[in-house]
């Protein structure tokens, strides 16, 4: 910590929040708002101001176990090592009311008029290490955290153990200040539960070892103390952890494989943990002087803001999604942005440090090279056809399209574009195209696939990352399914234009399948939401035209769901014989009408554009290849 | 039963159900053991006294970390026992009472007097109501209450601590 | 490396390679028949089978063909592009072609491994190759652009992970901005008293 504060190459911007981030890999511009400390760098850390401040509020750093003044230093070793004024509790913004600290400050460092400052940073890479929040056990009412003073969280207990903490390192019951003779720990509070009120479904992974470590510390603090750990599993997974756990047991700490159902207080002020005996199942209450709740962690409440700022994805549990769980564990879908620490998932200190070094290394690889190659498969917009309606920009998951209403055109920032192609299908005037996955290429593939016996075929559009990979997995696992399916690959299911589906109908495909990643798993953040909307819309239109919607399907298949893929194809192939040729003809006619209408509209638009503004033709930079 | 057995296999054996159980101290019920046996697919589970020891207070279900509805598991076990004709006499008597009168508890002379004192009309379920109740129970698959098991069913009477 | 502009409008010269992948494809799919079928498709000037396309001799043979027969689009019917597309793109570069002029047709994971019946599998493989050829005919060379990288990093969050990342980057000489919401860096870590295994103070 000290090293970071003193390093000539590190500028610490504490009390600062990210306001906005723009740009792309190698070229980010971040706006940071630094809160006014109201104490300038002239501060000598003498502490005279604290002596005279009349305000006393709970100290956040001490988890509320101690108090601080309105002018304070967060903790003695804080970096930056400056005092600051908490504007919410300070009386001094009106000097008539107080102003005592300003009077005593010899360095004249206090300035109530100091204002928040905005700082603009230009950086090539970003490491997101925003951490997680400890679980607040108030909703776990059975443990009486808010009823009994002597029930503490593990974090609060850490402060109590610290020599620099609110009790000077003496363990004492908050209710009467006495040294406890018996301490109980309840594990997995806020972790490993299916009840969202009681916590998170995952294992927070550090709490077991934190408790084990704490029991050994307490053993040194209080001679002859009795300690009991109530647990469901002790996860001593890391290097040397099992040894530490064994030592704790050998030192006489009692480990009981049973989670208490409640903590109550008896007349004598002792805390009763109600448990079922792990061996006999017999019910009993065990009395302790203090109960420590080993709380897990949850994703930070400001994760949404961070997610938006850097266009990141999150896993189901709310932590940020890495590019690849094994091979790119610190990269994110946004180039140049890396993850370190709890923000990716809960872990222990060593793993945090390892991951941070990995993220730093990944970032420095980019910077060392000095330049970076960006995705070749990107979208482009033909300015001659674009009307600046902005539909494409609306669906772009990477905010890579900028719309200039005045110039009347939209442009793709190629360094931001990841090539999902979900913008294309939004365009009504055929102005958007995706390199390497052009409309014509798709049409050609559909033609070839449906040249012979189209009614006997299932034409499947699959995204590269999930459903195509799921079909690969079915192959690797040798799962047998009917040979009537023909797969057309795109990078993202968001690329699948309704015109492709209509063309397949026109070419008399028996059944059409549009397949992609499950919602939330999309490799282009949420481009597959557009897929969902588009297929549903098209189905609605088919229904309105009196057509059989059973010939158009949308299924999500993940890369691991080979079975699901094989079953889906089996199910659709089984439907093929019942597809009525008359229905196929009717749909083909309808689809042809739709195509002709579209082509007429685009042709008309083209002519209109061509006629009055011949000057536009020259400004085709970045236009369609 | 298979659905709940599958769910029961999510059990992490944390024992919080046992610590929450209100019947356990009285009749020795060990919900964790029952969940474990259900997960293992123990076919004899429905024949034993355990299904009938539960008082269905749902304390276990409300605290279960693994999201297993333990109390529902007990209902499932009872249904299975009933299908096998293994209904304890006390439960059989209550069921017969319900089918005959429409009430789980008989309307005694004492009840009638209290109603009269409170100015309430005399109470009885109408014959049509009783008939409807009977046909509903038949449709829901209530087994023949006169088919008795060969061995008497142990319902785990109070004080029967293991 | 770029397909020159004057090539536009000229009918592309497609080369098709049907990989047997040892027995993986060859046991089920009649690869010779597929290659013969491919040679009749529009734009195809060369079609042959390969025992193992990804092997050294397999690649060398294709490179030789590309150069000698002036192929400018390559279709490889083999395994999943998710497996070997990068391999064959590199091969195209070796042969002097833009790597994006490659199209793979998945006749292993999506065909020979999932359809036991040889007749069905061969018919499907023909269709898949046909589709790949039709797509390949329209492939264009693509160039990945490069952008400069600013020599500075921002670390968001000043807990243990953020501090470590900042130090590692700064020690390499990069300017680092460590942005922390709270008035001091340190995060959760600073609150912890002693840490395993050294039992030293966390600050």
């Amino acid at each position: 910590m000290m090293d970071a504060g003193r390093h000539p190459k590190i500028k610490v911007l504490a009390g600062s929040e990210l306001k906005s981030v723009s740009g792309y890999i190698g070229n980010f511009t971040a706006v940071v708002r630094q809160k006014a400390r109201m104490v300038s760098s002239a501060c000598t850390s003498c502490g005279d101001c604290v002596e005279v401040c009349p305000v006393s509020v709970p100290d956040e750093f001490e988890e509320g176990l101690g108090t601080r003044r309105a002018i304070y230093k967060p903790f003695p070793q804080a970096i930056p090592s400056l005092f600051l004024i908490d504007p919410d509790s300070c009386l001094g913004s009106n000097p008539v009311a107080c102003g005592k600290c300003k009077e005593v400050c010899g360095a004249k460092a206090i300035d109530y008029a100091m204002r928040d400052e905005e700082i603009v940073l230009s950086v090539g890479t970003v490491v997101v290490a925003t951490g997680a929040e400890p679980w607040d056990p108030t909703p776990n009412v059975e443990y009486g955290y808010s009823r009994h003073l002597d029930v503490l969280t593990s974090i609060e207990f850490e402060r109590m153990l610290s020599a620099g903490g609110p009790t000077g390192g003496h363990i004492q019951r908050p209710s009467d200040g006495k040294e406890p003779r018996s301490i109980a720990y309840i594990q997995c509070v806020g972790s490993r539960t299916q009840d969202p009120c009681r916590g998170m479904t995952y294992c927070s992974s550090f709490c077991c070892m934190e408790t084990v470590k704490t029991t050994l510390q307490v053993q040194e603090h209080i001679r002859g103390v009795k300690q009991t750990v109530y647990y469901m599993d002790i996860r001593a997974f890391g290097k040397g952890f099992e040894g530490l756990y064994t030592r704790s047991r050998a030192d006489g700490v009692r480990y009981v494989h049973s989670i208490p159902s409640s903590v109550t207080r008896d007349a004598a002020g002792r805390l009763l943990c109600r448990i079922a005996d792990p061996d006999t199942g017999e019910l009993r209450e065990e009395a302790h002087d203090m109960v420590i709740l080993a709380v897990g962690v949850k994703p930070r409440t400001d994760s949404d803001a961070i997610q938006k700022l850097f266009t990141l994805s999150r896993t189901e549990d709310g932590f940020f999604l890495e590019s690849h769980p094994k091979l790119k564990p610190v990269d994110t879908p946004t180039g140049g942005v890396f993850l370190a620490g709890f923000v990716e998932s809960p872990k222990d200190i060593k793993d945090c440090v390892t991951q941070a070094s990995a993220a730093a290394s990944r970032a420095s690889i980019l910077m060392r090279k000095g330049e970076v190659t960006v995705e070749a498969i990107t979208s482009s917009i033909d300015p001659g056809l674009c009307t600046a309606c902005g539909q494409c920009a609306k669906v772009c998951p990477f905010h890579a399209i900028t719309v200039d209403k005045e110039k009347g055109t939209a442009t793709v920032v190629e360094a931001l574009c990841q090539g999902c192609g979900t913008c294309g299908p939004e365009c009504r005037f055929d102005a958007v195209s995706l390199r390497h996955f052009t409309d014509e290429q798709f049409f050609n593939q559909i033609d070839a696939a449906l040249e012979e016996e189209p009614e006997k075929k299932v034409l499947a559009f699959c995204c590269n990352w999930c459903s195509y990979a799921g079909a690969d997995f079915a192959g690797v696992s040798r799962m047998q399914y009917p040979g009537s399916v023909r797969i057309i690959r795109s990078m993202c299911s968001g690329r699948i234009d309704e015109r492709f589906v209509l063309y397949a109908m026109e070419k008399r495909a028996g059944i059409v399948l549009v397949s992609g990643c499950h919602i939330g798993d999309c490799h282009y953040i949420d481009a597959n939401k557009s897929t969902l909307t588009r297929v549903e819309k098209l189905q609605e239109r088919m229904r309105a035209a009196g057509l059989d919607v059973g010939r158009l399907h949308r299924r999500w298949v993940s890369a691991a769901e080979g079975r699901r893929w094989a079953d889906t194809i089996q199910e659709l192939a089984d439907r093929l014989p019942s597809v009525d040729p008359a229905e196929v003809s009717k749909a083909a006619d309808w689809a042809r009408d739709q195509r002709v209408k579209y082509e007429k509209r685009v042709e008309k638009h083209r002519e209109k554009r061509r006629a009055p503004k011949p000057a536009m033709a020259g400004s085709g930079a970045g236009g369609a290849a | 039963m298979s659905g709940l057995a599958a769910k029961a296999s999510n059990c992490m054996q944390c024992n919080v159900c046992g610590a929450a159980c209100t019947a356990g101290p009285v009749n020795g019920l060990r919900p964790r053991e029952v969940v474990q046996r259900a997960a293992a697919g123990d076919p004899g589970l429905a024949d034993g006294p355990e299904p009938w020891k539960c008082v269905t207070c749902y304390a276990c279900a409300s605290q279960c970390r693994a999201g297993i509805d333990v109390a529902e598991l007990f209902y499932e076990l009872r249904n299975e026992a009933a299908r096998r004709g293994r209904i304890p006499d006390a439960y059989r008597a209550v069921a017969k009472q319900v089918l005959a009168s429409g009430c789980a508890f008989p309307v005694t002379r004492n009840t009638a007097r209290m109603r009269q004192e409170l100015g309430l009309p005399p109470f009885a379920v109408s014959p049509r109501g009783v008939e409807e109740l009977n046909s509903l129970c038949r449709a829901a698959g209530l087994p023949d209450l006169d088919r008795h098991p060969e061995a008497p069913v142990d319902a785990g009477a109070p004080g029967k601590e293991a | 490396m770029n397909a020159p502009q004057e090539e536009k409008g000229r009918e592309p010269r497609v080369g098709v390679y049907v990989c047997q992948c040892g027995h993986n494809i060859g046991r089920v799919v009649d690869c010779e028949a597929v290659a013969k079928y491919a040679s009749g498709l529009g734009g195809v000037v060369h079609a042959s089978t390969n025992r193992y396309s990804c092997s050294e001799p397999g690649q060398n043979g294709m490179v030789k063909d590309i150069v000698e027969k002036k192929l400018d689009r390559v279709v490889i019917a083999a395994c999943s592009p998710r497996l070997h597309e990068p391999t064959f793109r590199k091969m195209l570069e070796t042969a002097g072609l833009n790597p994006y002029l490659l199209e793979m047709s998945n006749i292993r994971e999506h065909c020979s491994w999932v359809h036991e019946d040889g007749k069905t599998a061969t018919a499907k493989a023909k269709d898949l190759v046909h589709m790949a050829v039709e797509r390949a005919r329209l492939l264009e060379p693509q160039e990945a652009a490069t952008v400069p990288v600013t020599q500075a990093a921002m670390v968001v969050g000043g807990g243990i992970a953020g501090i470590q990342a900042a130090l590692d980057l700064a020690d390499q000489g990069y300017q680092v901005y460590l942005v922390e919401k709270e008035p001091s860096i340190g995060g959760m870590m600073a609150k912890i008293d002693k840490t395993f295994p050294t039992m030293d103070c966390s600050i």
Side-chain angles (χ1 to χ4, degrees), chain A residues 15-260:
Chain A
S16 303
E17 255 182 272
L18 265 183
K19 281 290 146 202
S20 70
V21 176
S22 58
Y24 45 85
I25 183 168
N27 303 273
F28 294 103
T29 304
V31 179
V32 174
R33 191 181 185 85
Q34 190 165 33
K35 267 185 262 159
R37 295 181 83 95
M38 298 193 223
V39 179
S40 76
S41 53
C43 170
T44 59
S45 281
C46 68
D48 288 348
C49 50
V50 176
E51 305 289 321
V52 297
C53 179
V55 181
S56 186
V57 290
D59 187 340
E60 300 87 353
F61 184 75
E62 301 298 357
E63 294 284 318
L65 292 179
T67 57
R68 63 160 173 82
R69 299 303 164 101
I71 184 160
Y72 69 110
K73 195 155 139 182
F75 52 100
Q77 304 88 339
I79 307 253
S81 185
L82 296 173
F83 280 74
L84 77 150
I85 290 176
D86 165 19
D88 294 333
S89 54
C90 175
L91 309 167
S93 49
N94 176 4
V96 183
C98 182
K100 286 202 168 78
C101 52
K102 195 170 181 173
E103 282 166 26
V104 298
C105 182
K108 302 266 172 264
I110 295 167
D111 174 11
Y112 298 122
M114 204 182 270
R115 289 287 162 257
D116 292 1
E117 207 184 324
E118 274 198 357
I119 303 163
V120 180
L121 305 174
S122 273
V123 294
T125 55
V126 178
V127 176
V128 176
T130 46
E133 280 171 15
W135 175 258
D136 172 3
T138 310
N140 306 61
V141 283
E142 62 274 21
Y143 297 144
Y145 173 67
S146 47
R147 282 196 306 278
H148 313 307
L149 281 172
D150 301 335
V151 176
L152 297 180
T153 69
S154 44
I155 314 277
E156 289 166 345
F157 198 48
E158 284 285 353
R159 291 316 302 148
M160 191 177 269
L161 287 173
S162 171
T167 58
H170 296 294
I171 304 172
Q172 53 192 52
R173 284 163 43 115
S175 62
D176 57 10
K178 282 188 191 149
E179 193 175 72
R181 304 304 307 158
S182 167
I183 301 175
Y185 302 82
I186 301 177
Q187 294 304 114
C188 298
V189 176
S191 305
R192 298 188 77 196
T193 173
Q194 298 298 318
D195 178 355
C197 298
R198 281 200 170 82
M200 326 301 281
T201 54
Y202 50 80
C203 164
S204 291
S205 87
F206 66 90
C207 351
C208 279
M209 290 321 293
E210 198 205 357
T211 295
V212 170
K213 178 218 70 167
T214 305
T215 59
L216 287 168
Q217 267 180 283
V218 171
Q219 212 78 346
E220 283 170 14
H221 274 72
I222 310 173
R223 195 169 282 277
V225 65
K226 280 186 183 151
Q227 296 189 83
T228 307
V229 179
Y230 299 111
Y231 70 96
M232 52 174 106
D233 291 296
I234 289 290
R235 295 190 160 170
F237 57 91
K239 187 173 180 174
F241 288 4
E242 188 68 24
L244 197 74
Y245 172 44
T246 313
R247 224 175 87 200
S248 170
R249 295 182 80 123
D251 267 15
V253 177
R254 206 170 136 247
Y255 283 83
V256 179
H257 185 176
S258 212
I259 292 288

Side-chain angles (χ1 to χ4, degrees), chain C residues 43-72:
Chain C
V44 176
V45 295
H46 172 92
S48 62
T49 59
N50 255 340
R51 187 148 173 76
Y52 285 105
S53 302
C54 57
S55 70
E56 195 70 30
Q59 292 196 41
N60 288 344
M62 288 188 279
V63 170
K64 199 165 156 253
D65 283 347
I66 293 170
V67 177
E68 285 177 2
K69 303 192 174 181
K70 294 192 170 56
L71 304 179
D72 58 14

Side-chain angles (χ1 to χ4, degrees), chain A residues 127 129 330 338-341 347 349-363, chain C residues 159-166 168-169:
Chain A
V127 176
V330 299
F338 305 92
L339 301 173
K347 52 179 72 68
I349 298 164
K350 185 180 170 180
D351 286 353
C352 276
V353 172
T354 310
Q355 201 177 24
S357 288
S361 166
R362 296 289 294 165
Chain C
I160 175 82
I163 291 173
Q164 182 66 43
D168 279 7
L169 285 163

Side-chain angles (χ1 to χ4, degrees), chain A residues 514-549:
Chain A
V514 179
S515 188
C517 312
H518 288 274
I519 294 291
D521 282 352
C522 182
H523 286 58
Y524 302 97
I525 301 175
D526 61 353
N528 59 349
K529 282 191 184 151
S530 302
T531 315
L532 182 66
T533 326
R534 285 172 195 145
V535 175
E536 277 176 358
K537 254 190 203 162
L538 188 55
Q539 282 171 333
E540 199 42 58
R541 278 171 59 197
M542 285 173 69
R543 212 170 280 129
L547 298 169
D548 175 13
V549 191

Side-chain angles (χ1 to χ4, degrees), chain C residues 56-130:
Chain C
E56 195 70 30
Q59 292 196 41
N60 288 344
M62 288 188 279
V63 170
K64 199 165 156 253
D65 283 347
I66 293 170
V67 177
E68 285 177 2
K69 303 192 174 181
K70 294 192 170 56
L71 304 179
D72 58 14
R73 302 289 187 280
V74 179
V75 170
I76 301 177
C79 52
S80 172
R82 292 174 50 82
L83 193 67
H84 272 317
E85 195 173 59
T87 314
F88 294 127
R89 277 187 177 169
K90 275 197 193 112
M91 183 194 85
L92 257 67
E93 280 188 298
T94 318
L97 281 182
N98 181 288
Y100 289 89
L101 297 174
L102 164 80
E103 176 62 12
M104 284 188 76
S105 175
N106 187 345
I107 59 167
R108 192 178 77 174
E109 283 86 342
H110 291 185
C111 191
S112 72
W113 278 353
V114 289
H115 310 310
E116 277 293 326
D117 175 40
K119 223 176 118 192
T120 311
T122 304
K124 181 172 173 181
K126 285 180 183 170
D127 264 14
L128 295 180
V129 169
H130 187 188

